[in-house]
Amino acid sequence: MNCWRRNLKVKLAIAISLCLCCGACSRSNAIIVGSKSFTEQIILGEIAAQQIERKLHLPVERRLGLGGTLLAHEALRKGQIDLYPEYTGTAGLAILKQPPSSDPTAAYMQVKDSYRERFHLIWLPPLGFNDTFAMVVRSHDAEQLQRPALSAAASRSWRLGVGFEFLTRADGLTRLDSEYRLRWSGSPLTMDLGLVYQALAQDHVDMIAANSTDGLLANPVYKMLADDKKAFPPYNACFVVREDLLTGRPGVNTALTMLSNRISDEAMRNLNRQVDVNHKPVTEVVHEFLATQP
């Protein structure tokens, strides 16, 4: 049975590879929009797809939920997709292998110039929100602090809950400790990122490392502490597009740039909340959002 399963896995891997190769070689005229595999990325990918359809009336193919950063980046470089949403901080660290500037404009220009020179990929202007790390506590604990900021949190010790990446990333716990020197009660409790809010609500931990645009932050029982020393780099969201697409179809640039600075942190939290908490379909949430845009 184990041998049969191994043979089946090999055959499936070969079939998937052939499909990807065939897909790259026999592309249709449709614009192919990709995304990574978490809610916010899928929402942003759908926003790009619907914006192109409604403004340019061009056919769009969706390849949403591709996986992580490296998979999406390689798909874009190889022409398997034409565009996908990315974050300045992620691009600087994961792709360019250099820490981004703490200044949002400088961080954007850094990845914009490097991507065009190295990959012939174009970063469109930022969408308007910064999905950076967020240190979140229960609201009643935040009220006990002098102010709801990380520099004020050193007045007590905390049981910390984090996703696995936060412990290993250079911009994660190491960066937090170097800037704030908070007092931890025991070792951090690691868990799937989708469980950190539950752990906080059930009093298993006192502080969690989350993301600043999480839909659950709309719940008043949680409070995000201000990163008043700017420990975490900016993660401004942008659409990254193949240069040859914009050369051949300049209207895509115009249509997507219309969304620049149109999505605030609060607006992105609300979009995530509608999908993750209210369980509304992504296509419906995006359609309603774009109906409010010019």
Side-chain angles (χ1 to χ4, degrees), residues 204-221:
H204 298 309
V205 296
D206 306 309
M207 181 186 292
I208 59 172
N211 294 96
S212 58
T213 54
D214 287 340
L216 284 168
L217 280 175
N219 190 325
V221 303

Side-chain angles (χ1 to χ4, degrees), residues 67 74 105 108 125 159 161 183-184 233 268:
E74 283 304 302
T105 302
Y108 169 71
R159 295 171 298 162
R183 291 184 290 151
W184 306 120
M268 193 68 242

Side-chain angles (χ1 to χ4, degrees), residues 126 128-129 146 169 174-175 179 196 204 208 212 237 261:
F129 70 91
Q146 187 177 23
R169 286 175 56 151
T174 300
R175 182 68 177 166
E179 288 294 329
V196 291
H204 298 309
I208 59 172
S212 58
N261 293 314

Side-chain angles (χ1 to χ4, degrees), residues 71-215:
L71 284 173
H73 177 70
E74 283 304 302
L76 188 62
R77 284 188 59 228
K78 293 177 180 178
Q80 295 166 353
I81 59 175
D82 291 311
L83 66 107
Y84 83 100
E86 188 53 278
Y87 308 93
T88 52
T90 303
L93 289 162
I95 304 299
L96 301 178
K97 306 299 182 184
Q98 53 192 27
S101 168
S102 59
D103 176 72
T105 302
Y108 169 71
M109 294 306 299
Q110 173 187 336
V111 297
K112 180 176 182 289
D113 293 343
S114 295
Y115 265 59
R116 184 162 198 167
E117 180 181 346
R118 291 174 56 178
F119 309 123
H120 298 288
L121 301 175
I122 306 300
W123 280 69
L124 298 185
L127 293 168
F129 70 91
N130 176 25
D131 184 8
T132 189
F133 283 121
M135 305 311 296
V136 180
V137 300
R138 291 178 290 272
S139 292
H140 65 80
D141 286 333
E143 291 168 0
Q144 306 304 311
L145 301 176
Q146 187 177 23
R147 62 188 186 282
L150 282 168
S151 59
S155 61
R156 55 161 287 184
S157 62
W158 304 85
R159 295 171 298 162
L160 179 64
V162 300
F164 301 105
E165 278 194 8
F166 192 75
L167 292 182
T168 57
R169 286 175 56 151
D171 57 336
L173 182 60
T174 300
R175 182 68 177 166
L176 179 70
D177 282 343
S178 68
E179 288 294 329
Y180 293 102
R181 303 195 180 280
L182 300 178
R183 291 184 290 151
W184 306 120
S185 177
S187 300
L189 182 62
T190 57
M191 65 196 78
D192 186 274
L193 198 56
L195 299 176
V196 291
Y197 283 95
Q198 181 179 336
L200 185 61
Q202 295 177 351
D203 198 30
H204 298 309
V205 296
D206 306 309
M207 181 186 292
I208 59 172
N211 294 96
S212 58
T213 54
D214 287 340

